[in-house]
Amino acid sequence: MQALNLPVIRVGRSAWNKGRVIGQKRPLLPRHVWAIRVRLEISEDYRNLALFNLAIDSKLRGCDLVRLKVADVFAAGQVKERASVNQSKTKIPVRFEISSGTRNSLLNWLKQPAMKRSEYLWPGRFQHWLHISTRQYARLVQSWVASVGLDPSQYGTHSMRRTKVAQIYRRTGNLRAVQLLLGHTKMDSTVRYLGVDIEDALAIAEATEV
């Protein structure tokens, strides 16, 4: 009997993004930032309040934020007004401001017993974890946005990175400033990251008189 050449049936794997919302995550609006801060302050959650505030101010990627050390932001008995860290992705240093409210929340966190003799700003809960992981940070972001009634699938750690620069761009239209604050090496990266399109360009042009 002649053997039939039948097609091989392979069991396909589910797509990695099945059921997920992909694409750029939305930045938080000022009212969202205010609402999350109020909830963290009322609950006296010193660590998460300091982490949330510094995430907004620093505009760092999650991998760089979780690895911050106390010495990066604290010196001579006080929190620095400006700090600088080397980005793990580009190996290029980036500077950021630490606002008054963020400095106060960091001081409150540094006074907590959990920070005694800690080298890292966000220590892990277990001895083999020197600092919180990016996954833990991502879960925290999800809980923050959900606490103010937002859809967690629409927001992520990059929402924290984009929040302040999105406001800066809306108010000034200064892409070069945003590029420097994000530590991007190419302007094209900044344009894509902000989602700048022709409508933005036309709106800026219409508001400018010469």
Side-chain angles (χ1 to χ4, degrees), residues 52-72:
F52 176 79
N53 284 340
L54 192 59
I56 296 291
D57 273 358
S58 69
K59 304 164 285 289
L60 291 173
R61 296 178 181 87
C63 58
D64 294 322
L65 183 68
V66 299
R67 290 184 175 89
L68 283 175
K69 296 184 177 181
V70 174
D72 290 327

Side-chain angles (χ1 to χ4, degrees), residues 73-140:
V73 300
F74 188 80
Q78 61 184 359
V79 178
K80 302 175 183 178
E81 294 186 2
R82 293 182 180 179
S84 177
V85 296
N86 285 325
Q87 301 173 98
S88 57
K89 182 177 180 180
T90 64
K91 310 303 179 185
I92 296 174
V94 62
R95 298 190 70 190
F96 56 89
E97 77 290 353
I98 305 178
S99 63
S100 175
T102 301
R103 293 199 299 273
N104 290 335
S105 62
L106 282 169
L107 277 175
N108 288 334
W109 168 233
L110 291 170
K111 293 175 183 176
Q112 300 306 306
M115 289 303 294
K116 189 175 182 181
R117 294 190 298 274
S118 175
E119 179 184 3
Y120 286 90
L121 198 54
W122 323 112
R125 294 183 178 180
F126 306 103
Q127 290 184 350
H128 58 284
W129 289 109
L130 297 177
H131 53 76
I132 65 172
S133 66
T134 52
R135 182 172 294 183
Q136 286 176 289
Y137 172 49
R139 286 198 295 264
L140 286 172

Side-chain angles (χ1 to χ4, degrees), residues 1-2 4 13 15 34 57 69 75 78 84 89 92 119 135 162-163 174 187 206:
M1 182 176 180
Q2 187 177 2
L4 298 177
R13 293 182 178 180
W34 178 85
D57 273 358
K69 296 184 177 181
Q78 61 184 359
S84 177
K89 182 177 180 180
I92 296 174
E119 179 184 3
R135 182 172 294 183
R162 295 180 65 204
T163 291
N174 191 333
M187 184 67 76
E206 289 169 353

Side-chain angles (χ1 to χ4, degrees), residues 31-50:
R31 65 175 183 272
H32 301 147
V33 174
W34 178 85
I36 293 171
R37 277 182 181 147
V38 168
R39 281 164 172 75
L40 293 175
E41 288 172 355
I42 291 174
S43 63
E44 296 184 347
D45 191 341
Y46 299 110
R47 186 199 69 169
N48 283 346
L49 178 60

